[in-house]
Amino acid sequence: MKRNIELNSTDEARLLCGPRDGNLRTIEEEAGVEIFARGHKITVEGTGKAVGKTLEVIEELLAVIRKGGRIGRRDITYAARAAGNGNAEGLREVYLDRVEVSSKRQYITPRSKGQKGYVDAIRGNDIVFGIGPAGTGKTYLAMAMAVNALRKQLVSRIILARPAVEAGESLGFLPGNLYEKVNPYLRPLYDALYDMVEPTRIQEYLTRGIIEVVPLAYMRGRTLNNAFIILDEAQNSTPEQMKMFLTRLGFDSKTVITGDITQSDLPDSRKSGLKQVINILKDISGIEFVFLSGEDVVRHELVQDIIRAYEKIRGENDG
């Protein structure tokens, strides 16, 4: 079977095809078809079912391009796999979703259907749990939503918390003052923040308390109103700490809890508060759990393969 798609311009063809038609080669490999580009015409050849899936994903990508959306190498790979799995419908809604942040990048976008669902869950709920492996954008997208809420004056401050648990070390045994002790544990939060907000503005926000970065243990006794609160690496919280954190939520506030239940650094004798809370709160309206997977990884393609390999081993061990 052979089908054609007419493009509107040379620029459109360049963006869709990629350097040396690399985008088309990626789609070919995943979808099991042949794709030819001639001027403003794209031709897809293969079995009827495969051609239909491929045309659907190309139309979705063209819709993004025509509305000024950004499509990178990772997006093409994800879209190509979606074509191969017959799951291309709705990709335009993923890539055209924009979370505005105050930086030179202007906006952040989800890069998979799982990430889109995560962003929508944060928009629609006051407490959201983002659970999944490394590289799925759990913390990064939560930070983008926090910066967006602050920019729109939906909240008056951002509070970023993280358990100070790493390799069994205790804060009391580390050198330096409190800031110097906890700073290494909170560095990933700063990294995401500096990617979205100008450094001079961040320093101003930190000085004025508009952005606060604290270890989880220092959240006890507080009531947090009109704030966007993020708890990162929540798999390293104990059940007692998780309960303490969740009950800090005040009026006009939103909380996002992120973590990977397979990567706890707690001693073997301690239960993970994140793992336990899934069963405790799963039926409460206004609280949503979003489970991301290897398909939502936005790092190097090998990271997806590594995660799948570990998931396979874990599945075999559980069986």
Side-chain angles (χ1 to χ4, degrees):
M1 182 178 181
K2 181 188 295 187
R3 295 280 299 276
N4 297 321
I5 296 178
E6 292 291 337
L7 306 180
N8 294 335
S9 66
T10 301
D11 283 343
E12 193 171 280
R14 175 178 54 82
L15 292 171
L16 175 65
C17 298
R20 299 182 181 180
D21 292 345
N23 293 348
L24 300 185
R25 302 291 80 82
T26 299
I27 297 173
E28 278 183 334
E29 184 176 347
E30 294 291 340
V33 297
E34 289 186 295
I35 306 176
F36 305 95
R38 297 289 186 273
H40 293 176
K41 184 170 72 173
I42 301 293
T43 301
V44 182
E45 291 186 14
T47 64
K49 188 175 182 180
V51 168
K53 292 178 180 179
T54 304
L55 290 174
E56 185 177 20
V57 77
I58 291 176
E59 291 289 357
E60 292 290 322
L61 293 173
L62 282 174
V64 175
I65 292 170
R66 288 166 179 168
K67 291 191 176 182
R70 296 188 298 230
I71 297 177
R73 177 184 172 186
R74 172 68 185 87
D75 306 320
I76 295 295
T77 301
Y78 179 81
R81 289 178 177 172
N85 296 329
N87 193 31
E89 184 180 0
L91 283 177
R92 69 184 71 185
E93 282 77 18
V94 175
Y95 296 152
L96 288 173
D97 192 346
R98 299 183 178 185
V99 181
E100 295 181 356
V101 294
S102 53
S103 77
K104 60 182 180 295
R105 292 187 60 181
Q106 298 184 342
Y107 61 88
I108 306 296
T109 65
R111 311 317 302 178
S112 71
K113 289 187 177 182
Q115 290 192 358
K116 167 67 173 168
Y118 180 46
V119 168
D120 287 342
I122 295 173
R123 289 183 175 123
N125 297 273
D126 287 338
I127 298 179
V128 173
F129 289 82
I131 300 173
T136 50
K138 304 182 300 296
T139 302
Y140 195 80
L141 290 172
M143 187 71 75
M145 294 297 287
V147 172
N148 177 265
L150 183 65
R151 185 179 183 220
K152 292 182 175 180
Q153 299 183 335
L154 300 176
V155 297
S156 62
R157 55 181 172 159
I158 297 173
I159 298 174
L160 311 171
R162 204 169 192 251
V165 176
E166 205 82 30
E169 291 189 68
S170 168
L171 290 178
F173 292 101
L174 296 176
N177 58 30
L178 174 63
Y179 175 82
E180 292 168 336
K181 289 179 178 182
V182 304
N183 190 54
Y185 299 100
L186 305 175
R187 192 70 251 171
L189 296 174
Y190 284 111
D191 289 342
L193 191 58
Y194 273 92
D195 201 30
M196 301 175 196
V197 181
E198 294 83 355
T200 54
R201 183 67 60 84
I202 292 174
Q203 192 56 51
E204 174 192 348
Y205 285 165
L206 289 170
T207 300
R208 294 169 55 192
I210 295 174
I211 296 178
E212 186 178 352
V213 187
V214 295
L216 175 59
Y218 288 81
M219 298 288 284
R220 189 175 300 279
R222 304 179 64 178
T223 300
L224 305 173
N225 296 313
N226 198 26
F228 197 115
I229 312 145
I230 299 174
L231 174 59
D232 190 37
E233 296 290 338
Q235 74 274 5
N236 289 330
S237 67
T238 65
E240 296 78 13
Q241 287 176 325
M242 179 61 73
K243 179 182 177 182
M244 177 272 292
F245 174 80
L246 290 171
T247 53
R248 301 308 95 203
L249 187 68
F251 294 108
D252 300 316
S253 290
K254 188 180 290 285
T255 293
V256 180
I257 301 97
T258 72
D260 178 359
I261 56 177
T262 71
Q263 294 291 324
S264 175
D265 294 309
L266 291 170
D268 293 340
S269 59
R270 303 300 301 272
K271 292 182 179 179
S272 168
L274 179 60
K275 193 170 184 178
Q276 183 193 64
V277 80
I278 295 172
N279 290 325
I280 295 175
L281 303 182
K282 62 182 180 181
D283 296 324
I284 297 181
S285 177
I287 299 177
E288 186 164 344
F289 289 84
V290 178
F291 295 90
L292 301 166
S293 70
E295 296 302 316
D296 302 302
V297 170
V298 293
R299 294 178 182 171
H300 194 287
E301 289 88 343
L302 283 176
V303 176
Q304 284 190 333
D305 296 331
I306 292 169
I307 290 170
R308 289 194 191 97
Y310 275 97
E311 287 176 344
K312 181 180 179 181
I313 292 296
R314 187 167 66 250
E316 291 173 353
N317 291 339
D318 290 343

